[in-house]
Amino acid sequence: MTSALTLPTGGQLASSWPETPPGSQPLPRDLDHLLALRVPGLIATRRHLHSHPELSGTEFETAALIARELSLAGLHPRLLPKGNGVICDVNGRSDGPIIALRADIDALPLDDPKDVPYRSTVEGVCHACGHDVHTTILLGVGMLLAQLADLGELDGRVRLIFQPAEEILPCGSLEVIEAGGLDDVVQIFALHCDPNLPVGQVGLRVGPITAAADNVTVRLSGPGGHTARPHLTVDLVDALGRLITEVPALVSRRVPANSGLLLVFGHASAGTRYNVIPSEASASGTLRVMDRDTWEQAPKIVAQVVRDVIAPTGATVDLEYLRGRPPVSNDSRAIQVLTAATGAALGPEGIAETPQSMGGEDFSWYLEYVPGALARLGVGRAGPNVDLHRGSFDVDERAIPAGVRVMVQTALRALAAAR
């Protein structure tokens, strides 16, 4: 790779997205026309990011591309201390408030099986959660807001946060916060791709919109031995089976049913030979819960249940419980801003209700410090949709200009409301 990702040249990409969607309100200063002119370039950017994904914590080339594009728009981005994320202020009136908009930029460790020209060129790495779309939208927002700022028509400052490491622990949002990303910010907003909503709709919800998500790893050990004589050793395969089948159900019985607690093991390992009882076994998974109070109690509950289940087997237990992220809980005033912005950007039909998801999102850590909201951006394609976190996931790219319009309207309305 070069020192910065290089965008493709030539071959303009067409878009069927109208300058002003039916029922919507125009952006100020003819920004709709400017956006329409920029749509082919934004789509090219998204496809390039999709072709050149980078894993959590290693988003150095992606950050370099972002910084370069923002600089070309006349802005002054700064890299995070590790160089794998970007913070950039669009400076309007100095006496105005500061509103933050956040996009995550990392990819997932998955193969990309799609038969498309922008298929991932990096083996085992893929933008399977839409972060390439989030990044592209925020770049487009920055370009349009920079135009308003140059005209003296931005009533405050808009901070663009391009965050690394959303998909891993520890969370990248904590790096941004430590680097001063929330300093003086009064509200923060973000979009996340939702393949269950069509393009032109945004899912909104007051209160919890995601679940808390933690990582659980259990390691079992024993002396090992011959499968002909399990009574002379500790049968770790049996113990592992009890762990992955009994613990999730028993944990859920220790909390209120409406807390939505879900413990699911995604990996289990024990042994290498059919006739050898292993001396080590392990299982790892996620614990997700909708309720904040239950999330606070979860580590203690899981530890007790695991030990109770494994004790009769004689295996030694080593439990690693890694705190992940609390639920994203949307502020009611921030949702009012997003609702008005969505109606203005996409028309009344663009506003949709959305349920609380069992997915986790580290945007929640920002909301521990300042009020804000996360919305779901419709990216659904014609035909059967593919869920997030699958290598075959893709989007209807008309969602990019839709997302730009929503976020520009959100920034302008949030600035006006905060004055």
Side-chain angles (χ1 to χ4, degrees), residues 24-339:
S24 67
Q25 301 174 18
L27 294 171
R29 286 290 188 167
D30 204 27
L31 289 185
D32 289 298
H33 181 62
L34 178 59
L35 173 58
L37 294 176
R38 289 192 175 274
V39 164
L42 290 173
I43 293 175
T45 299
R46 181 261 163 169
R47 293 185 177 189
H48 186 71
L49 290 170
H50 198 89
S51 297
H52 300 82
E54 294 181 297
L55 289 175
S56 306
T58 65
E59 308 92 331
F60 303 108
E61 306 299 332
T62 302
L65 180 150
I66 292 166
R68 186 177 71 247
E69 293 300 302
L70 293 172
S71 297
L72 290 173
L75 299 172
H76 302 283
R78 65 181 177 94
L79 294 173
L80 292 179
K82 293 181 181 178
N84 61 342
V86 178
I87 297 174
C88 182
D89 284 357
V90 184
N91 293 315
R93 293 176 55 175
S94 59
D95 61 341
I98 302 177
I99 300 295
L101 307 177
R102 173 270 206 170
D104 36 14
I105 68 176
D106 52 332
L108 285 159
L110 296 171
D111 288 321
D112 187 350
K114 297 188 297 293
D115 184 17
V116 292
Y118 48 89
R119 177 182 176 182
S120 174
T121 59
V122 183
E123 185 176 355
V125 184
C126 177
H127 271 296
C129 201
H131 295 188
D132 52 337
V133 175
H134 306 165
T135 302
T136 302
I137 287 172
L138 196 56
L139 281 172
V141 171
M143 294 171 185
L144 297 191
L145 292 180
Q147 294 288 321
L148 282 185
D150 288 344
L151 295 169
E153 297 190 12
L154 189 63
D155 290 335
R157 189 186 311 173
V158 179
R159 181 163 297 159
L160 311 176
I161 297 173
F162 295 87
Q163 178 208 302
E166 193 278 328
E167 296 287 359
I168 63 169
L169 299 179
C171 303
S173 56
L174 299 176
E175 293 182 44
V176 172
I177 294 167
E178 186 176 353
L182 291 185
D183 289 357
D184 301 318
V185 168
V186 298
Q187 273 186 320
I188 186 168
F189 299 89
L191 292 176
H192 197 293
C193 290
D194 187 346
N196 297 308
L197 287 174
V199 171
Q201 285 196 341
V202 173
L204 301 168
R205 177 185 176 88
V206 175
I209 191 172
T210 70
D214 298 339
N215 289 5
V216 179
T217 299
V218 183
R219 300 179 183 87
L220 306 177
S221 58
H226 201 296
T227 56
R229 292 175 288 278
H231 60 290
L232 298 181
T233 184
V234 175
D235 189 345
L236 291 190
V237 175
D238 172 71
L240 185 64
R242 297 187 190 197
L243 172 75
I244 61 179
T245 58
E246 296 180 22
V247 169
L250 290 172
V251 168
S252 68
R253 293 298 189 274
R254 300 287 183 94
V255 300
N258 60 3
S259 68
L261 187 147
L262 184 66
L263 174 59
V264 177
F265 289 104
H267 174 266
S269 176
T272 58
R273 291 283 298 172
Y274 69 94
N275 61 349
V276 177
I277 294 175
S279 59
E280 295 181 344
S282 66
S284 57
T286 60
L287 183 138
R288 302 172 187 273
V289 60
M290 293 182 171
D291 177 74
R292 177 64 182 256
D293 290 340
T294 304
W295 180 65
E296 299 285 357
Q297 303 169 30
K300 182 177 179 180
I301 294 171
V302 170
Q304 187 61 56
V305 171
V306 168
R307 290 187 173 90
D308 289 348
V309 168
I310 298 302
T313 71
T316 299
V317 177
D318 176 27
L319 172 64
E320 179 184 352
Y321 194 105
L322 187 58
R323 270 299 198 202
R325 55 208 72 183
V328 173
S329 188
N330 285 337
D331 176 70
S332 60
R333 291 185 180 180
I335 286 294
Q336 289 176 4
V337 171
L338 267 171
T339 301

